[in-house]
Amino acid sequence: MQKPAYDVKEIEKHLAQYIADLRAPAVLKDAMHYSLQAGGKRIRPLLLLSTVSALGKPAGRGMQTACAVEMLHTYSLIHDDLPAMDDDDLRRGKPTNHKVFGEAVAILAGDGLLTHSFGLIAEDPGLDDALKVKLIALLAKSAGPEGMVAGQVADMEGENKTLTLEELQYIHAHKTGKLLRFSVLAGAMIGGASTEQLEKFGQFADHLGLAFQIRDDILDIEGEQEKIGKRVGSDESRHKSTYPALLTLEGAKQELRRHTRLAKQCLAETGAETGALMELTGMIETRDH
Amino acid sequence: MQKPAYDVKEIEKHLAQYIADLRAPAVLKDAMHYSLQAGGKRIRPLLLLSTVSALGKPAGRGMQTACAVEMLHTYSLIHDDLPAMDDDDLRRGKPTNHKVFGEAVAILAGDGLLTHSFGLIAEDPGLDDALKVKLIALLAKSAGPEGMVAGQVADMEGENKTLTLEELQYIHAHKTGKLLRFSVLAGAMIGGASTEQLEKFGQFADHLGLAFQIRDDILDIEGEQEKIGKRVGSDESRHKSTYPALLTLEGAKQELRRHTRLAKQCLAETGAETGALMELTGMIETRDH
């Protein structure tokens, strides 16, 4: 993995601090902290902060909102791993939340992260009220029953079925695409992007989201288990529809290259200082976990 | 039950409409709708709307925020009933969400309701941005890891233990008290209450919350199973600490009367038109379900 465009350690320090600051039962804080600090690439907060920087705003503007997105993403992983959902024992090479804290605490840690993420945006010191309201409305749409949660439901309903490419795209656009798109758009809004720039950043995010998911599917076939931190080949054994299954492995790799190229083209067209975002895009194309 | 101070049907019509408006998978909308329409006293939206009215604002101002609180409350019931939590088959006399839709959809329906509730406040047409931000920050605190979720964790940890009165009060203040308090304070903020009035409404809400919980514990001993819609005596069989267990049944009834009286006294001291809230308070003291 290349050196990330923004300091991941800085993000993780803030994440840890927000949890430490909570007046809450110790086991709840431990469970929230455990999954937040279990690694991960921090792609969403990196996208958000790098987009803010690309528009010339001071480094760290929107940090609290960036961490809110990471908390929300982490809640979705905790709930997704539950026995009633994907029933995963490992996440990023470590025992999943419910394996360590039990199912009840895992459900509540997820609920707590989701709820707190909205509070963090409402109290982000770098944003005015009008912007906070817009971000919260967009996050609720991106993560809720019209966004990520819709994707989770569609994904479950699609298991053990052969999906069309259109159905597969609906699932990914919602399950992972919407929150990636939120991260970029939130950064653009915090950075004060023009209407035209917002449009271009949105298109960038859509191509990036597709590239991200196609890479995920390819890694499930070609990746090294140690680096991914979960079992390779799990999609196939669960009879999940994937891009390689629908397009062949070579076809999927072509699509990955195409969407990465288009993502970079959209970035260039924003006219912003997108060096860090170009790097992140390259990282997403070539990541090994 | 006395005639409620506000039209419950109106609230339920709005709740149904907000779900119908969602562009989401049918099974997800069905599951969210099912638990929202499974009855319930609508105490939280009634408190919010009646407080707005008490301060002379037009009826219906804050409706979207009132429905958001009911959605958030409903998510907490769905997750609380899950096999990993209280493992309840019945809620308000009907099969619980996971019994009808399965655990995975129930978890996601809860996640969806929780997320959407923040979106509804952010898009409540009757509120300005500064107020929306305050309400969202307060709701996240009241419902999240420092509020309701903390209460749920403490409640779980307290099972099969004898709690002190202080520990019992921590649980209730967080598990049910914070969201009731939010409902009243949100109504007061939307109604434009003065600092002194906010203080009094807050005290009212605290006494009301205690009265509410004590009545709940008494109903678990004396109530009629048919009216409550769940098994009577379940607290005792689960070795849950309750007010009657700590104070005797008679002592608990005295406390119920005392907190109801103090709640009404605080209401009177707000100087607002609190007729409907007085009625609601009386209803909470004498409710049979």
Side-chain angles (χ1 to χ4, degrees):
Chain A
M1 193 164 105
Q2 297 170 47
K3 187 179 172 301
Y6 202 90
D7 192 357
V8 168
K9 288 247 175 325
E10 184 72 14
I11 294 169
E12 292 177 345
K13 206 185 74 186
H14 276 87
L15 285 170
Q17 192 59 51
Y18 295 135
I19 301 300
D21 287 345
L22 291 173
R23 290 191 308 173
V27 63
L28 178 62
K29 289 171 71 164
D30 289 350
M32 291 166 75
H33 183 77
Y34 174 82
S35 289
L36 275 176
Q37 299 297 331
K41 299 169 289 291
R42 315 298 182 193
I43 285 177
R44 291 155 196 82
L46 284 173
L47 280 172
L48 192 153
L49 293 167
S50 303
T51 306
V52 175
S53 297
L55 291 159
K57 292 286 181 297
R61 173 83 58 92
M63 174 61 82
Q64 200 158 312
T65 298
C67 287
V69 184
E70 187 68 9
M71 284 196 192
L72 196 143
H73 169 61
T74 303
Y75 118 76
S76 78
L77 301 181
I78 296 175
H79 281 192
D80 207 26
D81 288 337
L82 287 168
M85 309 272 283
D86 278 356
D87 194 15
D88 274 315
D89 295 350
L90 286 179
R91 160 79 62 185
R92 296 163 183 162
K94 292 180 184 153
T96 46
N97 199 291
H98 65 271
K99 281 281 154 192
V100 179
F101 297 95
E103 266 183 78
V105 171
I107 293 168
L108 290 165
D111 293 342
L113 287 167
L114 170 56
T115 310
H116 196 52
S117 65
F118 286 99
L120 283 175
I121 300 177
E123 295 186 334
D124 189 327
L127 315 180
D128 66 36
D129 287 341
L131 182 51
K132 287 176 183 177
V133 169
K134 273 190 203 130
L135 291 171
I136 288 164
L138 184 61
L139 182 57
K141 246 191 207 327
S142 306
E146 297 192 320
M148 190 173 68
V149 172
Q152 294 273 36
V153 171
D155 191 21
M156 265 172 27
E157 289 191 309
E159 273 188 33
N160 298 313
K161 269 197 267 184
T162 306
L163 301 179
T164 63
L165 188 60
E166 202 185 354
E167 289 167 329
L168 186 66
Q169 273 168 343
Y170 175 91
I171 292 173
H172 292 315
H174 289 75
K175 192 173 166 173
T176 54
K178 293 259 181 185
L179 201 57
L180 289 170
R181 186 181 164 93
F182 172 82
S183 306
V184 173
L185 287 183
M189 287 155 74
I190 294 171
S194 68
T195 313
E196 293 73 27
Q197 283 178 318
L198 269 178
E199 175 87 5
K200 282 292 163 201
F201 274 118
Q203 290 169 5
F204 157 67
D206 290 339
H207 289 299
L208 188 80
L210 281 164
F212 183 88
Q213 189 57 49
I214 297 169
R215 183 71 195 157
D216 227 41
D217 286 355
I218 293 171
L219 279 174
D220 194 72
I221 296 171
E222 288 195 330
E224 293 170 48
Q225 183 155 325
E226 251 178 57
K227 286 187 178 159
I228 307 179
K230 63 177 181 183
R231 211 155 36 80
V232 168
S234 64
D235 289 343
E236 203 186 346
S237 66
R238 279 185 192 154
H239 307 288
K240 280 200 137 169
S241 296
T242 63
Y243 286 99
L246 285 171
L247 305 172
T248 75
L249 183 58
E250 192 41 52
K253 286 180 179 177
Q254 272 181 29
E255 275 296 280
L256 170 61
R257 282 191 295 273
R258 188 171 74 87
H259 285 295
T260 305
R261 193 183 65 243
L262 289 169
K264 289 184 171 177
Q265 190 179 314
C266 292
L267 267 188
E269 288 169 9
T270 63
E273 294 290 329
T274 54
L277 287 169
M278 292 281 184
E279 242 183 75
L280 266 170
T281 307
M283 195 177 93
I284 283 169
E285 183 184 16
T286 57
R287 70 199 165 95
D288 57 12
H289 68 286
Chain B
M1 194 163 104
Q2 297 169 45
K3 188 177 174 300
Y6 202 90
D7 191 357
V8 168
K9 289 247 176 326
E10 185 72 15
I11 295 169
E12 292 176 345
K13 205 184 75 186
H14 277 87
L15 285 170
Q17 191 59 50
Y18 295 135
I19 300 301
D21 288 345
L22 291 172
R23 289 191 308 175
V27 64
L28 178 62
K29 290 172 70 163
D30 288 349
M32 292 167 73
H33 184 77
Y34 174 80
S35 288
L36 275 176
Q37 298 297 331
K41 298 170 289 291
R42 316 297 183 192
I43 285 176
R44 291 155 195 81
L46 284 173
L47 279 172
L48 191 153
L49 293 168
S50 303
T51 306
V52 174
S53 297
L55 290 158
K57 292 287 181 296
R61 173 81 59 92
M63 174 62 82
Q64 200 157 313
T65 298
C67 288
V69 184
E70 186 69 8
M71 284 194 192
L72 196 143
H73 169 61
T74 303
Y75 119 75
S76 78
L77 301 181
I78 295 175
H79 282 192
D80 207 27
D81 287 337
L82 287 168
M85 308 275 280
D86 279 357
D87 194 15
D88 275 314
D89 296 349
L90 286 179
R91 160 80 61 184
R92 297 164 183 162
K94 293 178 185 154
T96 45
N97 198 291
H98 64 272
K99 281 281 154 189
V100 180
F101 297 95
E103 267 183 78
V105 171
I107 292 169
L108 291 165
D111 293 342
L113 287 167
L114 170 56
T115 310
H116 195 52
S117 65
F118 285 100
L120 282 175
I121 300 178
E123 296 186 334
D124 188 327
L127 316 179
D128 66 36
D129 287 342
L131 182 52
K132 287 176 184 178
V133 168
K134 274 191 204 131
L135 290 171
I136 288 164
L138 183 60
L139 182 58
K141 247 192 205 329
S142 305
E146 296 193 321
M148 190 173 69
V149 172
Q152 295 272 35
V153 171
D155 191 22
M156 264 171 29
E157 288 191 310
E159 273 187 35
N160 298 312
K161 269 198 265 184
T162 306
L163 301 180
T164 63
L165 189 58
E166 203 184 352
E167 289 168 328
L168 186 66
Q169 273 168 344
Y170 175 91
I171 291 172
H172 293 315
H174 289 75
K175 192 173 167 173
T176 54
K178 293 258 182 186
L179 201 56
L180 289 170
R181 187 182 163 91
F182 171 81
S183 307
V184 173
L185 287 182
M189 288 156 73
I190 294 170
S194 68
T195 313
E196 292 74 26
Q197 283 178 318
L198 269 178
E199 175 86 5
K200 282 293 162 199
F201 274 118
Q203 289 168 7
F204 157 68
D206 290 341
H207 290 298
L208 189 80
L210 281 164
F212 182 87
Q213 189 57 49
I214 297 168
R215 183 71 196 156
D216 228 40
D217 286 356
I218 292 172
L219 279 175
D220 194 71
I221 296 171
E222 288 194 331
E224 294 170 47
Q225 182 155 325
E226 252 180 53
K227 286 187 178 159
I228 306 178
K230 65 176 179 184
R231 211 155 36 79
V232 168
S234 65
D235 289 343
E236 204 185 345
S237 66
R238 276 183 195 158
H239 307 290
K240 279 201 139 169
S241 296
T242 63
Y243 286 98
L246 285 171
L247 305 172
T248 76
L249 183 58
E250 192 42 50
K253 287 181 179 177
Q254 271 180 30
E255 275 295 280
L256 171 60
R257 282 191 296 272
R258 189 171 73 87
H259 285 295
T260 306
R261 194 182 64 244
L262 288 168
K264 288 183 171 177
Q265 191 179 313
C266 292
L267 268 188
E269 288 169 10
T270 62
E273 294 290 328
T274 54
L277 288 168
M278 292 281 183
E279 241 183 77
L280 267 172
T281 307
M283 196 177 93
I284 283 169
E285 184 186 15
T286 57
R287 70 199 166 94
D288 56 12
H289 67 285

